[in-house]
Amino acid sequence: MDKPRLQAAILIISDTAFQDPSTDKAGDILSDVIAIDGNDQWDFTKRDILPDDVLAIQHAITQYCDGEDFVNLLITTGGTGFAVKDNTPEAVTPLLHRHAPGLVHGMLQASLEVTPFALMSRPVAGVRSKTLIVTLPGSPKGAKENLQAILRLMPHACQQAAGGDSRKLHTGGVKKLEEDAGVSGNKRQKHHHDDHVHSHDHTHNHGGHVVPKAHTRPEDRPISNDPRAGPTSRYRNSPYAMLPVEDAVGLILANSPAPETINMPVNGSLVGYVLAEDVKANDPVPAYRASIVDGYAVIVSENGPSTKGMFPVASISHAAPGEIPTLQRGQIARITTGAPLPPGANSVVMVEDTVLRSMTDDSQEEKVVEILTDQVKADENIREIGSDIKAGEVVLRKGEEITAVGGELGLLASVGKAEVMVYRKPVIGVLSTGDEIVMHDRPGPLQLGEVRDCNRPTLMAAIKGWGFQVVDYGIAKDKPGSLEEHLRNALRDVDVIVTSGGVSMGELDLLKPTVERSLGGKIHFGRVNMKPGKPTTFATVPLKTNDGNPATKLVFSLPGNPASALVTSHLFVLPSLQYSSGKQELHGLPRVKAQLEEDVRCDPKRPEYHRVSLTPGPNGLLHATSTGGQRSSKVTSLRQANGLLCLPAKEWTAPKGEVVDALLMGGL
Ligand code: AMP
Ligand code: MG
């Protein structure tokens, strides 16, 4: 059997090495171990140096494990000790789909044979998707010993983790596995050979019984709480990696359905749609030779008599459809701006260059007009056929939006388009969740513990304001059945569901489990590094439509606190809707610069989106006035908020007058 090539990567985790890469020794030593002891099976794809920062580590891990070009083995070195800044195991553990305590045991045992201080390391190991992750200590010597202890076994584990056929891999039993790996079993292991092979998979069938085989991959199985297990069994730390906002938006865009095309009539309802085709002019504009001034149509001949002199006014051409008599030599015709040139005429003299000399007997009309100039040339003051738009010219391109400013609709109308192909806009359902939530217009006072539903009206208004059709799905109770029923109802009819509430860490926070366990959805992220909005969750649910076609519906589960719900809807739901409705460039809110009207404190830990009123100042710069207290439950922080300051995570008070980035949520 040919040895398969496997991909390995190393993450060096150390604040010191991150600041000065020359201080890193472990990277080279571990590369050498893989090159020398690796049985010639490994290709090195990458090596990164990271600070002792949970988010940076988690970000790198998802990059190495979650894409199509995942690595088979991801080794970290550093951050496994007891120092305050050592947090590699804390970063890695929540991301593991399956733990591998055997590897941890093997590494510790190998080091323990060298020094009792081996127990000062806190390694973890396990599988994320198809990648095996092991955390080695930061000391080059310890890291080398640990890696040497397990490296020979890694190809086998990695092949299995990547989906290799377990049966084939085990053909020949443990003896063959040991030979392939270049390791030998000791007495104790020998004694347990049969058991050992069994626990991997059944290489030999006893009496031909059918080996049970799972139909799902472990990484596709739910990681949310099992609601039946009750509050005592729920996670006490979120099992979801905390993603930076940009990564979360990236995942949303990658999982939002590609735009579909439809035909729409050209009228006011087309505003907000994006063209799915290049639009060509049916007719030229103007469609006839038209005067661009009020004056007199004349006949200018190259060598003929001058236009200067007295002329009878033979006819009148107004900007109106109809027959116009042919102009004869020696006559002129009064003409208005935009009116068609009479047949025979080839130029227009401005009214300013003429004098009225006589009127008809009833004094109602001009009879004779004197033209004061002999400078008039042929084709003067005429807009030629197609001089604005030629027939067949592309007037709007695929990807351009029909805006509420009106220009595009006018253009479509002027070239004779009655129907165009555009991208369909998704339809969005909005659902509130929570036993305590009641309709805002329910008569009577609130009972103890009741909260009026403000998220649904708010989110529906925002979505409508973005130009999408929105459907109201009411309020679901914090009961698995109620939530599932509401979600199923909505999934049948709409493309995207936006819920609020039920995504925190309480035992009644049922959204994630319901989406994952009852609806077979996939949660792409369940935590975002931001304030407000940390528990924001995004999932996709595969479905069959009524006509039997497969479809993917999106579920955005926003946190229940009103400020969190509104901010996260703008940051996460909007870009997805923009993408699915064919918008090509801007996905998200426009970013502008704004000057602070007062000091604004940042959060030291999480990037914050601080609600502000943005108004244009006299010098054209936008001025930002805070809406006040920013607690995520504070509904008044949304009043007159048309912008979000993008504040960095740092111990800092941005002073009055500072110019900072802001996202524009509403009009100015
Ligand atoms: P949850 O995420 O369900 O734990 O909700 C967090 C907080 O937001 C709780 O105080 C809820 O009462 C509140 N909340 C949830 N949904 C709404 C809503 N639709 N309107 C107003 N407040 C809500
Ligand atoms: Mg709740």
Side-chain angles (χ1 to χ4, degrees):
M1 187 172 72
D2 277 349
K3 290 179 197 160
R5 304 297 304 170
L6 296 161
Q7 307 295 318
I10 297 183
L11 297 178
I12 295 134
I13 297 168
S14 151
D15 280 345
T16 319
F18 184 67
Q19 270 155 20
D20 178 4
S22 71
T23 59
D24 167 49
K25 303 278 176 288
D28 286 344
I29 289 177
L30 294 178
S31 305
D32 288 349
V33 171
I34 291 184
I36 296 163
D37 300 331
N39 214 7
D40 194 24
Q41 281 186 269
W42 299 96
D43 287 328
F44 251 108
T45 39
K46 250 192 158 168
R47 181 200 294 195
D48 265 346
I49 304 185
L50 303 171
D52 288 298
D53 176 73
V54 170
L55 286 182
I57 299 168
Q58 292 189 331
H59 177 69
I61 288 175
T62 55
Q63 297 288 310
Y64 278 108
C65 304
D66 293 0
E68 294 215 327
D69 46 357
F70 63 92
V71 298
N72 299 99
L73 176 63
L74 182 59
I75 297 164
T76 73
T77 167
T80 59
F82 284 84
V84 177
K85 66 182 177 57
D86 288 331
N87 53 29
T88 303
E90 286 63 44
V92 174
T93 305
L95 301 192
L96 295 179
H97 295 142
R98 291 177 294 156
H99 289 266
L103 292 178
V104 173
H105 187 81
M107 290 192 290
L108 289 176
Q109 192 189 11
S111 294
L112 202 52
E113 284 169 12
V114 182
T115 167
F117 273 90
L119 299 187
M120 295 298 99
S121 179
R122 306 180 296 120
V124 294
V127 175
R128 178 175 176 84
S129 298
K130 297 179 174 177
T131 302
L132 186 59
I133 306 174
V134 288
T135 65
L136 306 179
S139 99
K141 185 169 172 298
K144 180 178 176 182
E145 286 158 10
N146 275 208
L147 184 57
Q148 282 172 330
I150 59 168
L151 184 61
R152 297 275 169 123
L153 307 171
M154 291 297 93
H156 178 71
C158 289
Q159 280 166 265
Q160 285 203 297
D165 182 337
S166 203
R167 239 166 218 262
K168 267 197 200 144
L169 288 172
H170 288 111
T171 309
V174 168
K175 200 96 219 116
K176 173 83 170 41
L177 289 175
E178 286 179 356
E179 263 170 43
D180 285 347
V183 295
S184 60
N186 60 25
K187 266 219 161 83
R188 200 148 52 94
Q189 280 170 329
K190 250 195 177 123
H191 186 68
H192 287 286
H193 268 177
D194 281 354
D195 283 353
H196 182 68
V197 172
H198 250 194
S199 66
H200 274 68
D201 202 343
H202 290 241
T203 48
H204 35 253
N205 276 343
H206 304 294
H209 69 266
V210 178
V211 179
K213 190 169 180 307
H215 292 283
T216 52
R217 297 179 310 165
E219 62 269 28
D220 292 338
R221 292 173 200 153
I223 55 171
S224 48
N225 282 318
D226 181 351
R228 289 165 309 181
T232 50
S233 304
R234 79 190 137 122
Y235 292 112
R236 308 200 88 81
N237 287 307
S238 173
Y240 298 94
M242 182 126 92
L243 299 190
V245 169
E246 303 72 43
D247 289 12
V249 172
L251 274 175
I252 289 168
L253 295 180
N255 288 286
S256 296
E260 297 165 13
T261 60
I262 48 166
N263 287 328
M264 290 269 294
V266 173
N267 58 37
S269 61
L270 202 58
V271 168
Y273 281 86
V274 174
L275 286 168
E277 60 175 348
D278 287 352
V279 178
K280 291 184 178 161
N282 289 344
D283 299 314
V285 180
Y288 53 84
R289 297 189 88 199
S291 174
I292 59 171
V293 293
D294 291 323
Y296 296 88
V298 298
I299 301 169
V300 177
S301 49
E302 239 173 65
N303 306 309
S306 160
T307 51
K308 192 171 174 180
M310 302 283 201
F311 294 90
V313 180
S315 62
I316 299 154
S317 177
H318 283 149
E323 286 278 302
I324 308 163
T326 303
L327 197 66
Q328 306 296 334
R329 197 165 286 283
Q331 297 179 333
I332 60 174
R334 193 164 80 241
I335 190 165
T336 54
T337 302
L341 210 62
N346 64 356
S347 196
V348 177
V349 180
M350 294 167 76
V351 68
E352 290 85 341
D353 288 334
T354 66
V355 177
L356 176 63
R357 286 299 174 201
S358 68
M359 291 186 283
T360 53
D361 294 343
D362 59 5
S363 305
Q364 295 298 304
E365 258 306 340
E366 299 172 335
K367 193 170 172 192
V368 174
V369 163
E370 181 179 359
I371 296 177
L372 304 173
T373 170
D374 60 359
Q375 299 296 309
V376 182
K377 308 245 170 356
D379 305 329
E380 235 178 80
N381 295 327
I382 292 171
R383 217 151 38 99
E384 297 295 341
I385 292 171
S387 59
D388 285 349
I389 301 168
K390 291 186 182 47
E393 183 181 327
V394 174
V395 288
L396 285 171
R397 296 229 168 255
K398 178 177 170 173
E400 286 190 71
E401 184 182 338
I402 312 301
T403 69
V405 176
E408 298 77 24
L409 261 182
L411 194 47
L412 290 172
S414 70
V415 299
K417 279 282 157 194
E419 190 179 87
V420 282
M421 188 163 75
V422 293
Y423 294 110
R424 186 173 80 80
K425 288 197 212 177
V427 177
I428 298 95
V430 175
L431 169 66
S432 288
T433 74
D435 284 341
E436 79 282 30
I437 307 299
V438 297
M439 291 285 183
H440 70 278
D441 53 0
R442 192 206 57 190
L446 291 178
Q447 307 287 314
L448 175 65
E450 284 184 335
V451 174
R452 289 199 183 92
D453 183 1
C454 80
N455 288 347
R456 210 163 28 96
T458 310
L459 293 170
M460 288 178 66
I463 295 167
K464 222 165 150 209
W466 303 332
F468 295 90
Q469 190 192 329
V470 56
V471 183
D472 184 350
Y473 284 95
I475 303 168
K477 294 279 169 214
D478 287 327
K479 309 272 176 305
S482 168
L483 196 52
E484 182 180 342
E485 193 185 320
H486 275 81
L487 288 171
R488 277 196 195 283
N489 262 340
L491 284 168
R492 251 197 307 276
D493 300 332
V494 298
D495 303 290
V496 176
I497 304 177
V498 178
T499 69
S500 63
V503 282
S504 313
M505 296 290 293
E507 72 271 23
L508 291 181
D509 288 325
L510 295 173
L511 246 146
K512 288 177 172 106
T514 304
V515 166
E516 224 176 20
R517 292 165 186 269
S518 308
L519 301 175
K522 179 172 165 99
I523 292 179
H524 297 277
F525 61 81
R527 266 196 317 162
V528 187
N529 187 31
M530 64 186 295
K531 185 181 172 184
K534 190 166 80 169
T536 303
T537 297
F538 168 65
T540 47
V541 180
L543 271 191
K544 277 223 164 64
T545 57
N546 290 341
D547 42 17
N549 293 320
T552 298
K553 307 274 172 136
L554 308 185
V555 181
F556 290 89
S557 293
L558 311 180
N561 275 317
S564 314
L566 188 66
V567 168
T568 53
S569 72
H570 278 86
L571 288 178
F572 300 114
V573 182
L574 176 63
S576 167
L577 301 184
Q578 288 169 325
Y579 169 78
S580 289
S581 54
K583 289 202 185 164
Q584 319 227 313
E585 272 157 30
L586 179 76
H587 295 137
L589 300 171
R591 194 173 272 263
V592 295
K593 296 272 180 207
Q595 189 168 39
L596 301 182
E597 288 290 293
E598 68 231 88
D599 292 358
V600 178
R601 235 176 93 87
C602 300
D603 184 279
K605 294 224 171 68
R606 281 182 283 158
E608 185 173 2
Y609 295 87
H610 186 118
R611 277 81 71 202
V612 286
S613 269
L614 295 174
T615 42
N619 52 3
L621 191 67
L622 291 176
H623 290 249
T625 310
S626 170
T627 56
Q630 296 287 303
R631 215 171 37 215
S632 59
S633 56
K634 203 159 177 187
V635 189
T636 48
S637 73
L638 302 172
R639 184 168 149 241
Q640 298 301 317
N642 61 347
L644 298 171
L645 295 180
C646 305
L647 300 176
K650 73 175 178 187
E651 195 78 66
W652 183 51
T653 297
K656 175 178 177 179
E658 182 85 3
V659 174
V660 298
D661 278 8
L663 298 171
L664 200 53
M665 280 199 296
L668 289 174

